[in-house]
Amino acid sequence: MEYFRLEQDKRVPYGVLMQGLSKMENIQEALKGNIIPLKRMNVVFVPPSRFNWYPDVLDRQLFLVQENVKEAFDLYQPDLQYRYFCLLDNQNQVHKFYYAPALEMVDCLSEESGCNLDKSVIRNVVLRKESIDGKDLFRIAGVKELVVIVSLPMAESLLRRRPKGIRILHVEIM
């Protein structure tokens, strides 16, 4: 099976950044991949700007997806748990709803991957086949960078929904 990295398209400027995220209760657990200790509904503010852009996937601070991406996730993992986030720009009276999925953490990064010493930046993702066989959606464990992997069928399902602001990049399997 083929696998792909799902990420926010960082080539597009004006992506939103959440303010005060570091002050949220249990946020450190969530950043490590365990979103369950977070409140079910969270409200975070974004810096006011008429140029704010809300892509269907946010991954700069925390992995969040909008409704159409969540629907694709639910097709392949119907028991996936979520925490809800409302991103709020009070000055421009804009609010957007996102979902933080509780993704399975899988230690599957091959030694062939190109990354720096502390694994905070991964340039070339290479996965170990025996660790991921049959999984449709997961997050790579043991790295500081937030890396979400989807299977080919899930990637196709996502693309049929015409998402905005995402990138789906092929990864190698060893």
Side-chain angles (χ1 to χ4, degrees):
M1 186 181 300
E2 292 184 60
Y3 286 91
F4 299 84
R5 180 178 182 168
L6 173 63
E7 64 182 21
Q8 176 182 346
D9 190 348
K10 295 170 184 74
R11 298 173 298 181
V12 180
Y14 310 116
V16 295
L17 289 175
M18 298 174 277
Q19 296 177 326
L21 196 63
S22 61
K23 297 176 185 170
M24 286 180 64
E25 188 176 331
N26 299 319
I27 194 64
Q28 292 306 319
E29 279 293 310
L31 294 174
K32 293 176 188 171
N34 182 14
I35 61 118
I36 300 305
L38 291 177
K39 294 178 188 173
R40 286 207 178 273
M41 180 63 168
N42 301 277
V43 177
V44 293
F45 294 95
V46 298
S49 171
R50 61 189 177 118
F51 298 111
N52 277 347
W53 177 65
Y54 299 88
D56 287 343
V57 170
L58 292 174
D59 67 357
R60 290 185 181 180
Q61 296 166 293
L62 191 63
F63 188 74
L64 301 173
V65 299
Q66 284 195 345
E67 182 69 31
N68 60 341
V69 177
K70 178 188 178 294
E71 289 172 359
F73 286 3
D74 288 342
L75 286 175
Y76 292 88
Q77 291 191 345
D79 296 330
L80 195 60
Q81 294 183 37
Y82 296 90
R83 294 298 181 253
Y84 307 99
F85 281 79
C86 178
L87 277 59
L88 192 58
D89 175 351
N90 275 338
Q91 184 175 334
N92 295 301
Q93 299 180 354
V94 175
H95 68 279
K96 298 289 182 178
F97 290 101
Y98 281 86
Y99 302 87
L103 298 176
E104 178 183 1
M105 300 287 284
V106 178
D107 185 15
C108 59
L109 197 63
S110 168
E111 296 297 323
E112 304 295 321
S113 298
C115 55
N116 60 357
L117 291 176
D118 69 350
K119 293 186 179 180
S120 61
V121 178
I122 302 173
R123 292 177 304 281
N124 182 33
V125 177
V126 180
L127 305 176
R128 293 189 320 266
K129 184 177 182 176
E130 66 275 0
S131 301
I132 59 169
D133 201 30
K135 296 185 186 318
D136 286 306
L137 173 66
F138 58 92
R139 183 173 162 187
I140 296 178
V143 296
K144 292 182 182 177
E145 187 176 359
L146 198 154
V147 182
V148 175
I149 304 294
V150 297
S151 65
L152 176 60
M154 182 174 283
E156 290 172 341
S157 182
L158 284 167
L159 291 173
R160 278 192 291 278
R161 287 167 169 71
R162 299 186 186 271
K164 63 182 187 306
I166 73 165
R167 291 184 76 189
I168 298 177
L169 307 168
H170 189 267
V171 298
E172 293 181 49
I173 307 292
M174 302 275 306

